[in-house]
Amino acid sequence: MALVDLQNISKQYDIKTILKDANFTLNRGQRIAVIGQNGQGKSTLFKIITRDVEPDSGEISIDKSLKIEMLDQQPKFKAGLNVRDAIEGQLKEIKEARTEYEEITLKISTDYENEELIKRQSQLATFIDFHNAWDLDNTIERVLKEFKLKQYEFKDVNLLSGGEQRRVSLAGLLLKKPDVLLLDEPTNHLDVYMVEFLESLLLKNNFTLLFISHDRYFIDNIATSVVEVEGGTLKKFHGGYSSYLEQKQQLLENLQKDHQNLLRLVKREAHWMQRGVTARRKRNERRKSEYLDLKQKAKSNPAAIRKMSIELEREQKAFNTEDKQRNKKKMLYELDDVCKSLGDKELIRDFTSRILQKDTIAIVGPNGSGKSTLLKIFMEKLEVDSGKFKKGDFNIGYFDQQRDMLDDNKNIMDIFCPDGGDRVTLPDGRDQHVYGYLKNFLFPREYLDKKVGVLSGGEKNRVALALLFTKKVDCLILDEPTNDLDIPTINILEEYLQSFQGALIFVSHDRYFVDKIAKKLFVFKGKDGLVEESFQPYSEYLEIEKEIIDLESLEAETKKQAQEKPKQTVKKQTKLSYKDQRDHDSLPEEIEKLEEKIEEINECLMNPACYEQKGIVAVSKELEDTEIIYEQKVERFLELEELIESFNS
């Protein structure tokens, strides 16, 4: 049964149709990404589901008992709350359930035949299981740490920055785990390490999720399907972002419509995804499989673990050798043993590098590690504390989230044609009508007379980027250029940057964007001012970095175990835990049903009338998925049987 079911929904604002006879269904366990150009109706869809907006027509079917919660772009907190209180305040129901469960368990120990207590205990256990709240205090601690909120734990939440407040609100929602969670750009203000933690939490806890995001790797890793909002309609595509691209390309080719511009972008994107990410992902999977095999063998040997860690570090360093031909290019920046601190925090220590003509560099790393400080040094807005910093004679184009180059009181035409007229001269010498140029940035003609001040944040970013690309510069410096942009606009941005003939230096947490654009990384490690130079794809760098950290943790654990006394008194477990007993009781029936389902699917594969109706690929995939679940259930049951046997021996 669907948790959310919208049928023939229409919504219009003034003369603009946002949704027209749109249908949408969300089932339990689904994670649906909503994509599309800004202003097409993504946020309206969310507001209709939360009942903040009523549609003009159509039917809405949502169970009133369903708990639907949404991450606000600008969360509001009560006065006087500290960060921990703001998070724990959302968990009142879960804490009460745990307290009641403990009280009932104590009562059952003396009144073990009370069926009413046993039934209530089972209900509470299911509720606590769903919210993964058996070890809630440790989970809260981990979320505080991973979202970099531990240092603000007892600080007034209303004194934090907007991005930090969003992280507090997100942390509370993740721990609360409503029946349906709605997230609007959840990765904004998160660094890549926070995004990876968010991904693992959403997948591990099996959230039912509806989210808007421009982070294409996040969509690929999280989404079970993608819904595209376009022209008032909702089109559904199975799988993540890469699967969406393949289906979209096939759809456009089959329809044979006049979508040449969009088709070109989709083909380019699909080609890059296939040649770049997929090939690299296969290589990573193969290496990771080999790595896990070695790791299993090395668990008892700290020396072997250290050897593996060194080999991974060597693999990273192997990317960091510059081609000698690069030295023939024009030098823009020269840094020798540069150091920079702000207050008592050392951000950059002994950093040496050269930036040459046509270099494409992404500055990456955790929030607060010094990335924007390095940009300000390049812009000569900050001086280095020590070391040598030299800038050549060249023109810089700069973009940041403040959009200082825009005047809210001017309309778009005045911004692009300050001296009058209706034409703009581009860096390559071409003279183009303003509308013809801005059409490339998805602006309709009626926007030319709009004041900048009335535009949304994403629209202002598009104006700022479009203006930046009219300037003749040798070097572009961009601070988080993809924030507040929708995916179609990011595609346009990427196309401009890939054709740019000068040097490009940018800060970004968008892994897909960095992988696609950057040819070199400046990696801020987030400790001791260490900045590392790398020529690796960013996603691959992160993968190896994670494996090194994992190995270091394993090495420390192995050494600790070796140092512990061999004889330790451990209280022997004599019976199954409540959860294990419940699994042991329910698994035989679940396994039997899965066996019946596998038999039915196999019969369908033998019957052309059946598999042609459903699609042989879909039926084969269903069989594969069912067999995986079957094996997991059987393995779990056998583990419990062995455990029971050990109690009796």
Side-chain angles (χ1 to χ4, degrees):
M1 179 181 172
L3 300 184
V4 176
D5 188 28
L6 310 181
Q7 294 295 323
N8 302 318
I9 296 295
S10 294
K11 184 64 184 177
Q12 185 168 318
Y13 291 113
D14 296 326
I15 60 170
K16 185 176 182 180
T17 299
I18 302 296
L19 296 171
K20 184 177 181 181
D21 295 328
N23 298 317
F24 175 80
T25 302
L26 177 67
N27 296 315
R28 190 174 298 282
Q30 286 186 323
R31 298 181 298 274
I32 299 179
V34 182
I35 66 172
Q37 188 180 332
N38 287 342
Q40 289 291 308
K42 302 190 296 292
S43 296
T44 300
L45 175 64
F46 274 37
K47 289 174 182 175
I48 288 173
I49 292 172
T50 59
R51 306 312 292 256
D52 291 327
V53 166
E54 287 297 321
D56 298 333
S57 61
E59 295 181 8
I60 302 175
S61 178
I62 301 174
D63 188 338
K64 290 182 179 178
S65 66
L66 208 62
K67 292 175 182 173
I68 301 176
E69 301 213 20
M70 181 172 170
L71 175 66
D72 291 327
Q73 287 286 356
Q74 297 177 322
K76 292 180 175 61
F77 300 96
K78 291 180 181 177
L81 278 182
N82 65 36
V83 168
R84 178 174 274 275
D85 289 341
I87 292 173
E88 291 193 351
Q90 299 188 59
L91 309 179
K92 183 180 177 183
E93 187 179 3
I94 296 172
K95 289 191 168 188
E96 288 175 349
R98 278 187 53 190
T99 301
E100 186 182 353
Y101 177 85
E102 289 164 3
E103 291 171 351
I104 288 177
T105 302
L106 190 62
K107 289 178 183 177
I108 288 176
S109 65
T110 57
D111 188 11
Y112 50 84
E113 292 184 352
N114 189 320
E115 291 184 5
E116 189 176 331
L117 285 178
I118 292 170
K119 182 180 178 182
R120 180 57 180 162
Q121 185 194 46
S122 177
Q123 291 172 344
L124 290 167
T126 301
F127 179 83
I128 296 168
D129 267 347
F130 176 78
H131 292 89
N132 194 30
W134 293 106
D135 194 13
L136 188 60
D137 291 336
N138 282 338
T139 307
I140 291 171
E141 284 296 317
R142 190 178 175 212
V143 170
L144 283 169
K145 180 183 174 185
E146 297 290 348
F147 280 161
K148 304 285 194 308
L149 295 170
K150 184 66 179 172
Q151 58 188 317
Y152 308 123
E153 183 176 7
F154 301 109
K155 184 176 179 179
D156 189 327
V157 68
N158 289 296
L159 298 179
L160 301 184
S161 70
E164 289 161 349
Q165 287 184 2
R166 268 176 62 87
R167 298 209 299 271
V168 172
S169 181
L170 177 59
L173 282 174
L174 292 171
L175 291 167
K176 190 175 183 181
K177 194 184 178 185
D179 297 313
V180 177
L181 180 58
L182 275 56
L183 300 177
D184 189 353
E185 294 292 359
T187 62
N188 274 2
H189 309 291
L190 302 185
D191 62 36
V192 290
Y193 305 102
M194 297 177 194
V195 172
E196 285 180 351
F197 173 68
L198 173 60
E199 289 174 352
S200 68
L201 212 58
L202 292 172
L203 294 173
K204 180 182 176 184
N205 294 320
N206 196 28
F207 275 79
T208 299
L209 179 66
L210 185 64
F211 66 100
I212 297 168
S213 181
H214 70 263
D215 186 328
R216 291 155 289 181
Y217 277 157
F218 183 75
I219 296 172
D220 225 17
N221 294 338
I222 294 298
T224 55
S225 57
V226 173
V227 168
E228 184 176 35
V229 186
E230 185 178 31
T233 63
L234 306 179
K235 297 186 183 72
K236 188 171 184 179
F237 302 84
H238 298 292
Y241 185 70
S242 53
S243 179
Y244 154 77
L245 287 174
E246 293 165 5
Q247 294 171 71
K248 180 78 172 180
Q249 181 179 355
Q250 187 64 51
L251 180 65
L252 291 175
E253 289 174 353
N254 290 345
L255 293 174
Q256 294 182 342
K257 288 184 176 180
D258 186 19
H259 284 310
Q260 292 305 313
N261 188 43
L262 181 56
L263 181 59
R264 175 171 52 84
L265 287 173
V266 171
K267 279 185 175 178
R268 270 188 49 167
E269 197 81 349
H271 176 79
W272 180 83
M273 196 74 172
Q274 182 181 12
R275 301 291 180 185
V277 177
T278 306
R280 185 156 63 246
R281 185 177 291 156
K282 286 179 180 175
R283 184 172 74 247
N284 282 349
E285 286 172 357
R286 185 174 64 251
R287 190 193 70 220
K288 191 163 187 178
S289 176
E290 294 167 355
Y291 155 75
L292 289 173
D293 290 341
L294 286 170
K295 178 179 165 185
Q296 192 63 34
K297 293 174 185 175
K299 274 189 176 181
S300 59
N301 187 344
I305 296 172
R306 171 51 50 192
K307 181 174 179 290
M308 290 172 62
S309 183
I310 290 170
E311 287 172 356
L312 284 170
E313 288 172 348
R314 189 177 295 128
E315 183 177 343
Q316 278 195 335
K317 289 175 182 175
F319 282 87
N320 301 342
T321 305
E322 292 193 57
D323 183 55
K324 291 181 181 178
Q325 294 298 318
R326 291 166 51 80
N327 293 326
K328 296 179 181 178
K329 297 176 184 175
K330 177 183 176 183
M331 176 112 47
L332 302 184
Y333 291 105
E334 184 176 3
L335 299 91
D336 282 315
D337 293 330
V338 163
C339 297
K340 182 65 184 176
S341 297
L342 291 179
D344 57 356
K345 186 173 183 180
E346 188 177 32
L347 297 176
I348 303 169
R349 175 165 56 88
D350 299 332
F351 180 50
T352 297
S353 187
R354 309 286 181 273
I355 298 177
L356 308 177
Q357 183 184 17
K358 294 193 178 181
D359 269 354
T360 306
I361 301 168
I363 303 175
V364 297
N367 283 348
S369 57
K371 302 183 300 296
S372 294
T373 297
L374 184 57
L375 286 192
K376 289 174 182 174
I377 290 172
F378 288 140
M379 293 288 296
E380 298 185 297
K381 293 181 178 180
L382 284 177
E383 294 184 356
V384 301
D385 296 337
S386 62
K388 178 184 176 184
F389 172 75
K390 182 181 178 182
K391 176 185 174 295
D393 184 19
F394 59 91
N395 296 322
I396 295 174
Y398 179 61
F399 170 87
D400 71 354
Q401 294 301 303
Q402 306 306 315
R403 301 179 285 262
D404 290 336
M405 71 285 284
L406 301 182
D407 183 343
D408 283 352
N409 296 315
K410 291 185 177 180
N411 60 36
I412 292 179
M413 180 67 85
D414 293 336
I415 292 285
F416 284 87
C417 303
D419 299 323
D422 58 6
R423 307 192 72 79
V424 61
T425 303
L426 302 180
D428 60 7
R430 284 183 298 133
D431 184 59
Q432 193 172 3
H433 191 278
V434 174
Y435 170 62
Y437 175 65
L438 288 178
K439 189 167 60 173
N440 297 328
F441 291 86
L442 308 178
F443 282 109
R445 185 183 292 274
E446 58 266 22
Y447 268 62
L448 294 181
D449 295 325
K450 278 197 174 187
K451 297 275 189 187
V452 171
V454 303
L455 302 180
S456 68
E459 288 168 340
K460 286 182 179 179
N461 276 3
R462 275 163 41 209
V463 172
L465 287 168
L467 184 63
L468 182 62
F469 292 131
T470 65
K471 312 297 182 186
K472 191 166 186 178
V473 296
D474 303 296
C475 177
L476 285 174
I477 296 180
L478 313 176
D479 193 357
E480 290 289 359
T482 63
N483 269 9
D484 293 323
L485 295 184
D486 51 42
I487 291 176
T489 308
I490 294 175
N491 281 327
I492 294 166
L493 170 63
E494 288 168 349
E495 187 173 7
Y496 270 85
L497 294 179
Q498 286 172 327
S499 63
F500 179 63
Q501 295 301 304
L504 173 62
I505 305 169
F506 65 96
V507 169
S508 181
H509 295 304
D510 187 328
R511 297 159 293 175
Y512 190 105
F513 181 75
V514 173
D515 269 351
K516 192 170 179 182
I517 299 297
K519 295 181 175 63
K520 182 164 76 169
L521 306 175
F522 288 166
V523 185
F524 278 73
K525 305 298 286 184
K527 57 182 179 180
D528 303 324
L530 183 60
V531 183
E532 191 174 276
E533 192 174 88
S534 174
F535 288 84
Q536 253 176 314
Y538 190 33
S539 56
E540 191 163 324
Y541 179 94
L542 290 169
E543 186 70 27
I544 293 178
E545 182 182 54
K546 192 189 299 180
E547 290 169 9
I548 291 171
I549 292 169
D550 193 22
L551 281 172
E552 288 172 349
S553 174
L554 181 61
E555 181 185 20
E557 183 185 333
T558 307
K559 283 182 178 178
K560 182 181 176 183
Q561 289 173 354
Q563 291 168 358
E564 288 177 351
K565 292 179 181 179
K567 291 183 180 179
Q568 290 182 325
T569 57
V570 180
K571 187 178 179 182
K572 185 179 178 183
Q573 187 178 351
T574 57
K575 64 177 183 177
L576 293 177
S577 68
Y578 175 81
K579 186 176 185 303
D580 287 346
Q581 185 64 57
R582 195 176 54 165
D583 285 353
H584 184 263
D585 294 342
S586 63
L587 278 169
E589 185 179 348
E590 292 177 25
I591 290 169
E592 187 178 341
K593 287 181 179 178
L594 286 168
E595 287 173 344
E596 292 172 359
K597 186 175 181 181
I598 289 170
E599 188 176 343
E600 288 174 7
I601 298 172
N602 277 317
E603 287 176 1
C604 183
L605 285 170
M606 300 293 291
N607 182 356
C610 179
Y611 68 68
E612 285 175 3
Q613 180 183 4
K614 295 183 177 181
I616 192 165
V617 174
V619 177
S620 300
K621 181 70 168 59
E622 185 183 7
L623 177 62
E624 181 185 343
D625 292 343
T626 307
E627 287 177 337
I628 289 171
I629 296 169
Y630 174 77
E631 292 295 334
Q632 290 171 345
K633 299 279 187 185
V634 170
E635 186 177 343
R636 169 68 172 151
F637 183 71
L638 292 175
E639 284 175 0
L640 293 172
E641 287 283 289
E642 288 178 12
L643 194 56
I644 293 171
E645 193 174 327
S646 71
F647 298 155
N648 298 329
S649 61

